Amino acid sequence: MKFNSKIASLLLLLASCNAVNKEQEVDVVAYQQEIEQWHQHRIEELKGDNGWLNLAGLFWLKEGLNTFGSAESNDLVFPKDKIAANAGFFQVKNGVVQMNVRADVKVLSNGNEIQNEIIFHPDSVKNATITHGDLQWFLIKRDDQVGLRLRDLKSKSISEFTGIDRYEVDASWRIKATMEVSPEPKYIDITNVLGQTTAQLSPATLVFELRGEEYRLDALEGSNDELFIIFGDQTNEDETYPSGRYLYVKIPDKDGHTYLDFNKSYNPPCAFTPFATCPLPPAQNVLPIAIKAGEKNFKGYSH
């Protein structure tokens, strides 16, 4: 009997599961479908309006006047043919940012046309999103710096995107982990690509075993039912993103157990754009092993 390639791949996956402990056994077909659905959702998010592929600029504002437009003479140079040569300016004073737009340049703030408006205040709960044609921008704060993040919703990075290379789905990389919780609140230093370091709460350390060796990963707060992990491993540089990858895991159950599904390891935003401010793995989360699962390095963006 001649097997087609799909059946053959499932048999290979089934064989890989033989190395998994019985308590980790999964329905191979259902598991592969789950990972494929997860990856498809990941791609849709990357290409969406709030994704990372459409970023067109990140500008750190200085105190005082910051001009913007498509002309090279501006402090903030926006994409050509997307906005007027000289569109206006941002006035920064003591952390407050006011946007002033020329009368012939139509911009919307949360759907309403504006000309002069404060768009960032240190006490603001949520900052305005500004739109002009295909362009969209908003302000972010990193440590003591305020920056303008610019999107081009019709960016070529979206239309030219062809996907992300991945390792083959392998259920043996779905590994049971045990949660350790410090008796006192534990904070770990997280440094981003800008060199800024902040102490962030680490609610748990996840301990797991692989090939007879024990490893540990400090987790950060994620969503209500997940923990967030930033990790590095020996595949970085040659096969995966040089600065590590990210992973979400479910909050451990009442017995303190969860699963690290490395098939869902994914690239940080900085793999796709120079306009992100990604956190880097803390030293203790750089594993001395190769995690050959999840996303490989993205080839579409030259660093």
Side-chain angles (χ1 to χ4, degrees):
M1 179 178 180
K2 188 176 180 180
F3 293 93
N4 62 34
S5 59
K6 183 175 182 181
I7 294 176
S9 66
L10 289 177
L11 288 174
L12 288 173
L13 186 58
L14 184 59
S16 73
C17 288
N18 290 333
V20 184
N21 294 332
K22 286 186 178 181
E23 61 185 344
Q24 289 179 257
E25 285 181 359
V26 294
D27 181 313
V28 174
V29 176
Y31 178 69
Q32 185 156 14
Q33 290 175 343
E34 176 196 340
I35 299 301
E36 294 301 329
Q37 289 171 1
W38 174 87
H39 181 70
Q40 183 57 40
H41 179 67
R42 157 92 168 133
I43 296 300
E44 290 170 358
E45 285 191 330
L46 273 174
K47 296 173 68 175
D49 287 354
N50 293 320
W52 296 104
L53 292 175
N54 62 25
L55 291 190
L58 177 60
F59 309 95
W60 299 106
L61 303 180
K62 66 180 186 294
E63 191 76 6
L65 200 69
N66 299 260
T67 59
F68 74 99
S70 60
E72 294 291 337
S73 57
N74 288 291
D75 298 309
L76 284 62
V77 180
F78 283 20
K80 296 186 185 303
D81 303 322
K82 296 282 185 175
I83 199 168
N86 299 288
F89 63 90
F90 300 95
Q91 183 74 38
V92 182
K93 185 176 182 180
N94 299 325
V96 177
V97 182
Q98 177 170 317
M99 182 178 68
N100 299 271
V101 185
R102 279 179 34 178
D104 59 340
V105 177
K106 181 180 179 180
V107 301
L108 304 177
S109 172
N110 298 330
N112 300 310
E113 188 171 351
I114 61 169
Q115 189 171 1
N116 304 295
E117 185 167 301
I118 291 176
I119 61 170
F120 180 85
H121 192 286
D123 297 332
S124 298
V125 176
K126 185 176 181 180
N127 298 311
T129 297
I130 313 299
T131 59
H132 172 80
D134 295 337
L135 301 180
Q136 184 183 89
W137 62 89
F138 53 93
L139 297 185
I140 62 172
K141 194 171 189 297
R142 296 292 182 269
D143 202 6
D144 60 348
Q145 291 183 282
V146 176
L148 182 145
R149 177 164 280 160
L150 177 68
R151 297 184 185 276
D152 179 355
L153 301 183
K154 296 292 179 64
S155 171
K156 288 184 178 179
S157 295
I158 300 172
S159 59
E160 296 175 355
F161 179 74
T162 58
I164 311 168
D165 289 339
R166 295 179 291 157
Y167 292 97
E168 289 188 14
V169 177
D170 182 347
S172 67
W173 284 110
R174 181 180 180 269
I175 302 173
K176 188 174 183 179
T178 301
M179 175 180 66
E180 285 186 358
V181 179
S182 173
E184 300 294 333
K186 176 183 175 181
Y187 289 83
I188 60 176
D189 286 341
I190 299 294
T191 301
N192 65 22
V193 294
L194 301 177
Q196 300 167 329
T197 300
T198 58
Q200 297 188 26
L201 180 64
S202 176
T205 297
L206 298 180
V207 184
F208 66 100
E209 187 175 296
L210 183 64
R211 302 185 187 98
E213 297 291 333
E214 183 180 276
Y215 302 98
R216 312 166 69 84
L217 289 169
D218 284 340
L220 300 173
E221 292 182 306
S223 61
N224 290 334
D225 64 345
E226 291 181 314
L227 296 172
F228 178 55
I229 294 174
I230 308 170
F231 75 95
D233 69 275
Q234 290 187 342
T235 66
N236 299 156
E237 292 287 351
D238 293 334
E239 298 180 29
T240 62
Y241 187 63
S243 299
R245 290 178 290 170
Y246 298 166
L247 178 66
Y248 278 96
V249 301
K250 291 293 184 183
I251 293 290
D253 61 22
K254 59 182 178 60
D255 296 320
H257 298 137
T258 187
Y259 284 92
L260 293 160
D261 194 340
F262 288 108
N263 290 293
K264 295 181 179 179
S265 304
Y266 68 96
N267 288 319
C270 291
F272 305 96
T273 175
F275 306 124
T277 57
C278 305
L280 305 171
Q284 67 272 25
N285 277 12
V286 179
L287 300 170
I289 53 176
I291 304 294
K292 291 181 175 291
E295 291 184 356
K296 296 182 178 181
N297 202 358
F298 179 62
K299 301 296 195 301
Y301 157 53
S302 299
H303 298 65

